[in-house]
Amino acid sequence: MALSVDIIMKRQKFCLAVKFEAKEEIMGVLGASGCGKSMTLKCIAGIEKPDSGKIILNGRTLFDAAKKINLPPQERSVGYLFQNYALFPHMTVEENILAGIRQKDKQAQLARYSKIFYLTGLEKRYPKELSGGQQQRVALARIFASEPEIMMLDEPFSALDSYLKWQVELELADILKEYQNTVLFVSHNRDEVYRFCDRVAVISQGNLECVSTKEAVFHNPETLAAAKLTGCKNHSRIERLSNDTVEAIDWGLTLRVTNSISQDVSYIGIRAHDLKLANDETVENTFEFEIVQCIEDTFSFILMVKHQKATLGNNALLRVEVSKEIWRQVSCDRQRIYLTLPEEKLFLLKA
């Protein structure tokens, strides 16, 4: 059982072009706001119609532009959790759940899903009388009750206050264990995607940048867009000097890398927590930097540093994250510092 998506859709100046497959897994769809994540889900659900391509779910063709197949939403067996949950405001909790149940023994199914989603005792309440977390559970119960072949969660925590978010996330993780089919988990939050998903598809400006395991995407993103979306704030244009050496133009650094440098690579990146404090420049890829700014964060210090040969511009500064304990031992009053950019922590990026 699997989902196969290969579609193109143009809307004014925006073009969505995505091609991926999802198995019986929780697959993340990561991207910034407005990149096409929700549009992709709406195409799968039948709410939007692509201009070309195919969508196949478990061997059933949901959409095929060439064959003029476009099943209506009610025939697709797709469960779609909208960002605002889309509960029927004039219906009680039990009425909302019953709306999704297809089996004949509706009351037994209602009792079952009320128990699974911790809604027992709330059946007679209306959506406006529920907390954000309770509303989400009702929406999920309605989706589960319809027994869809695929579940799609669109920014499932965006409507929650921060103090509710973690508890609801834990509850959702337990609930999804009950579901054995494909789940598409859409978010712009890299941490949510990493905690929930097995594989990740990265979308940037309507284009699918990469699809891989979450470990591969986060530890070695293939493109500049993927690096940014997974939280990498340090990236520089490069000039290739040899098979294993580059000039990081924005940083003003000559760096040795572990992998051979292909012709289609044009950027280099490193995560803030991967830069290491050093005593001098005797270690490979170690340089002296000026500390431009030192910011105390909740559990660490964030250093904005610059090499003397760096170019002008935002990318000239490197962001470094150091634990409070280590930085206080080093001395937070110093103006210059030696830092190592380990070869194995650098990643080469396509534009």
Side-chain angles (χ1 to χ4, degrees), residues 174-185:
D174 284 338
I175 289 167
L176 289 180
K177 292 176 183 177
E178 300 283 331
Y179 190 70
Q180 301 300 316
N181 295 330
T182 304
V183 177
L184 294 185
F185 185 100

Side-chain angles (χ1 to χ4, degrees), residues 33 54 85 121 126-127 146 156 161 176 200 213 234 238 249 269 271 279 297 334 340:
S33 298
K54 298 179 182 180
Y85 309 140
Y126 289 89
S146 68
D161 294 328
L176 289 180
V200 181
T213 65
N234 298 322
I238 62 169
I249 298 169
R271 300 193 186 278
N279 296 320
D297 204 0
R334 57 199 310 182
T340 301

Side-chain angles (χ1 to χ4, degrees), residues 27 59 66 102 104 125 127 136 140 156 250 290 312 323 329 351:
M27 183 172 183
R102 300 176 182 177
K104 293 182 179 180
R125 293 190 186 182
Q136 186 193 63
L140 284 168
D250 297 308
E290 173 192 355
L312 296 176
S323 73
Q329 290 175 357

